[in-house]
Amino acid sequence: MKQTRKWLALALAGALSLSLLAGCAGGTSPDASAGGTAETQEATSSTDSDALVIAEQGIFSAGGTVIESDGTFDVSNYYTSREGSTAHVDHANVLYQIPENNTELPMVFLHGYGQSRMGWMTTPDGREGWSDMFLRMGHSVWLIDQPRRGEAGQTSVAGTMTTTPSDQTWYTQFRIGTYLNDEFTYNEGSQFPQGEDVLDQFFRQMTPDTGMDNAAGDQSIDNAVVAQAVAAAIDEIYDRTGQDSILVTHSQGGLPGWEVPLYTDHVAAIVAIEPGGAPEVDSDAYSAMVEQNIPVTFYYGDYIGEEFTDVPAAAMWSMMAASADTFTEAYNAAGGSSTVVHLPDEGITGNDHFMFQDLNNDVIADHIEAWIQENVTQ
């Protein structure tokens, strides 16, 4: 019986092969025989023209350190012994993509608090993220998970996780809307995509920091550890490409972002998306940026200012945005180049703290690219 089945299988395979060969020899497809060749070719050409072609991609770790415990490793108890052991920790994890039309400077993306590189790659409603958009513009993109976050979770500092719910807190802090009468509401004119499925995806992209004492309410980030790892990534990018990088930061990522030029001189520009504050004038970070003459731009969305009485976080963000004005005035006076972009002043309205995931994220990406072309030298 087994031998019979074997021969039947071979016979069927042979018949299929002959059928395929006959089709190839004919030189026509079913569409061609039906007179649809031109239409099919046109559709294929259209699809190909819209395709994002990646010439190279990969993932690597950068920076970090190695810690070691005292004692001698006991190989006879290898599974439980921790004496004389090492751990590779506090590095950045970098996922990169280089487009076929690689004509522009590399862009390094650094996420904010409770986030990972995922936020740059897609939107909660499944649209194209900024990483794809800037790839289409000719930039290679280098997406970082900062030390002690996401795929760079190995840490030299023991954090404690908490299971205390906090979706409503962050939703409000991010100026997406407020939580009233047991439901999430949206600010008037909001560009944030709406729907229960969208919110489910948005909240699930948040991820804890493995070196943070969340259980005790600690939210501090070691900016030096993050900055050094990001600088190591930028140096690696320079070694691979021979080009300086445009550093794009968001929120909490903005604070270590200012310190990156302390550890590398390969930052071509800094694009700060609603950073948690600007560097103090005459700080070491400020001085390094002045010395390297790094162009800087700040981007802020809508619902910022005391006039937005129905947006609880509006006043807080107004204070943080004011630090950008102080920095810009001093930086430009010192010979640097800094601009502060408030999107509503540009006629771009309805944006929250996650402007790169909003419905008009493509409009903002184009605005940033125009700034890059005008202000950043290759």
Side-chain angles (χ1 to χ4, degrees):
M1 180 63 72
K2 289 183 179 180
Q3 189 70 16
T4 302
R5 289 177 179 174
K6 177 179 178 180
W7 283 110
L8 282 172
L10 288 171
L12 287 170
L16 179 59
S17 298
L18 288 171
S19 175
L20 289 172
L21 287 170
C24 292
T28 59
S29 67
D31 287 330
S33 63
T37 303
E39 182 180 347
T40 302
Q41 289 177 343
E42 182 179 349
T44 302
S45 176
S46 174
T47 302
D48 289 345
S49 67
D50 294 335
L52 175 57
V53 181
I54 303 299
E56 180 184 343
Q57 66 181 9
I59 192 167
F60 62 90
S61 296
T65 189
V66 178
I67 57 175
E68 185 174 358
S69 59
D70 295 332
T72 302
F73 182 71
D74 181 6
V75 70
S76 64
N77 294 298
Y78 73 93
Y79 196 74
T80 58
S81 177
R82 295 295 180 267
E83 295 80 12
S85 296
T86 57
H88 291 65
V89 297
D90 297 347
H91 47 269
N93 185 276
V94 187
L95 184 151
Y96 71 93
Q97 294 181 308
I98 300 175
E100 186 177 55
N101 64 324
N102 183 28
T103 58
E104 306 296 329
L105 288 176
M107 296 184 73
V108 176
F109 290 85
L110 178 61
H111 58 77
Y113 179 85
Q115 302 293 311
S116 69
R117 59 169 158 255
M118 176 183 176
W120 304 110
M121 301 176 72
T122 186
T123 66
D125 57 338
R127 288 173 295 110
E128 196 169 56
W130 271 10
S131 62
D132 281 359
M133 291 179 185
F134 283 103
L135 280 166
R136 293 184 186 279
M137 295 176 193
H139 297 274
S140 61
V141 298
W142 307 74
L143 305 159
I144 288 180
D145 275 357
Q146 72 177 39
R148 305 169 184 173
R149 195 80 58 79
E151 291 191 75
Q154 282 280 73
T155 175
S156 63
V157 178
T160 55
M161 300 298 101
T162 178
T163 57
T164 303
S166 59
D167 287 348
Q168 284 74 5
T169 295
W170 297 113
Y171 186 85
T172 305
Q173 174 69 2
F174 297 154
R175 303 193 326 281
I176 299 170
T178 55
Y179 190 78
L180 295 172
N181 301 320
D182 296 327
E183 66 177 357
F184 291 101
T185 64
Y186 298 86
N187 293 325
E188 184 177 356
S190 173
Q191 290 280 357
F192 194 82
Q194 300 184 18
E196 291 185 8
D197 291 343
V198 170
L199 287 179
D200 181 75
Q201 288 296 312
F202 177 71
F203 289 130
R204 292 185 188 281
Q205 78 183 30
M206 295 193 70
T207 188
D209 191 296
T210 58
M212 188 180 293
D213 192 4
N214 284 314
D218 177 27
Q219 294 176 9
S220 62
I221 304 290
D222 192 326
N223 290 331
V225 167
V226 177
Q228 289 167 14
V230 173
I234 288 175
D235 284 344
E236 175 69 19
I237 295 166
Y238 182 81
D239 290 342
R240 294 182 181 216
T241 67
Q243 294 179 302
D244 294 342
S245 296
I246 299 167
L247 176 59
V248 184
T249 66
H250 177 233
S251 196
Q252 165 263 309
L255 300 180
W258 304 126
E259 297 185 14
V260 170
L262 289 170
Y263 308 104
T264 179
D265 56 2
H266 293 303
V267 177
I270 297 178
V271 178
I273 308 300
E274 295 204 353
E280 292 287 336
V281 175
D282 296 330
S283 65
D284 290 343
Y286 174 89
S287 298
M289 294 166 64
V290 170
E291 181 180 349
Q292 297 179 40
N293 195 26
I294 298 173
V296 177
T297 186
F298 298 79
Y299 273 76
Y300 293 94
D302 218 328
Y303 318 113
I304 294 176
E306 295 179 357
E307 67 270 24
F308 293 99
T309 56
D310 57 341
V311 181
M316 178 188 296
W317 279 106
S318 182
M319 292 174 59
M320 287 190 277
S323 69
D325 296 327
T326 301
F327 167 88
T328 296
E329 182 179 358
Y331 197 67
N332 290 342
S337 173
S338 177
T339 59
V340 181
V341 178
H342 291 278
L343 291 176
D345 295 341
E346 304 293 309
I348 304 172
T349 60
N351 293 106
D352 48 78
H353 191 49
F354 280 75
M355 61 182 70
F356 46 90
Q357 296 190 343
D358 286 340
L359 295 172
N360 60 348
N361 61 346
D362 57 337
V363 175
I364 303 168
D366 287 341
H367 197 286
I368 291 172
E369 180 63 15
W371 179 86
I372 291 172
Q373 294 302 321
E374 184 177 347
N375 294 276
V376 185
T377 303
Q378 290 216 47

